[in-house]
Amino acid sequence: ECLKAADLDIGEGSLYPLLTRLVREGMLAAVWDTPDEGHPRKYYRLMPLGAAFFERATQERDRDQAAYEAIKAGACGTGNGAAADSGAVDSGMEGDDDQTTLS
């Protein structure tokens, strides 16, 4: 339900193998709850290893997002930057002041 609310469509055929792998790798802990009525349910808890991995992944994602935003803003000579407007491209070679014009 939470994934659907986030507009992510992940089927059971993908989700449960992933959860199993994360439990096996020590990133999650799983506990079965068997209520008096209804079906048994498995609950997952984030372990310290999983929390550390999540923190690193979040930092990497933030860096990637910042790089994407910089590129989108024209940091690489594309987008709305001045180099994009002139059609000039830096060769990237040190000491090479020539610019190549794209047509």
Side-chain angles (χ1 to χ4, degrees), residues 30-80:
V31 176
W32 280 100
D33 179 35
T34 309
D36 293 336
E37 294 181 23
H39 298 288
R41 293 199 167 123
K42 192 181 260 188
Y43 292 92
Y44 296 90
R45 182 171 43 98
L46 190 61
M47 300 300 291
L49 181 63
F53 176 81
F54 181 74
E55 178 63 29
R56 284 191 313 274
T58 299
Q59 290 171 357
E60 287 181 25
R61 184 216 150 285
D62 290 346
R63 279 194 304 273
D64 291 346
Q65 183 67 32
Y68 168 77
E69 294 296 332
I71 291 167
K72 187 175 167 187
C76 293
T78 59
N80 297 329

Side-chain angles (χ1 to χ4, degrees), residues 4-54:
K4 286 181 185 177
D7 208 20
L8 294 172
D9 186 21
I10 299 175
E12 291 179 17
S14 299
L15 180 61
Y16 289 105
L18 175 60
L19 290 170
T20 300
R21 183 176 131 219
L22 292 173
V23 168
R24 186 177 57 245
E25 292 178 359
M27 294 193 189
L28 295 177
V31 176
W32 280 100
D33 179 35
T34 309
D36 293 336
E37 294 181 23
H39 298 288
R41 293 199 167 123
K42 192 181 260 188
Y43 292 92
Y44 296 90
R45 182 171 43 98
L46 190 61
M47 300 300 291
L49 181 63
F53 176 81
F54 181 74

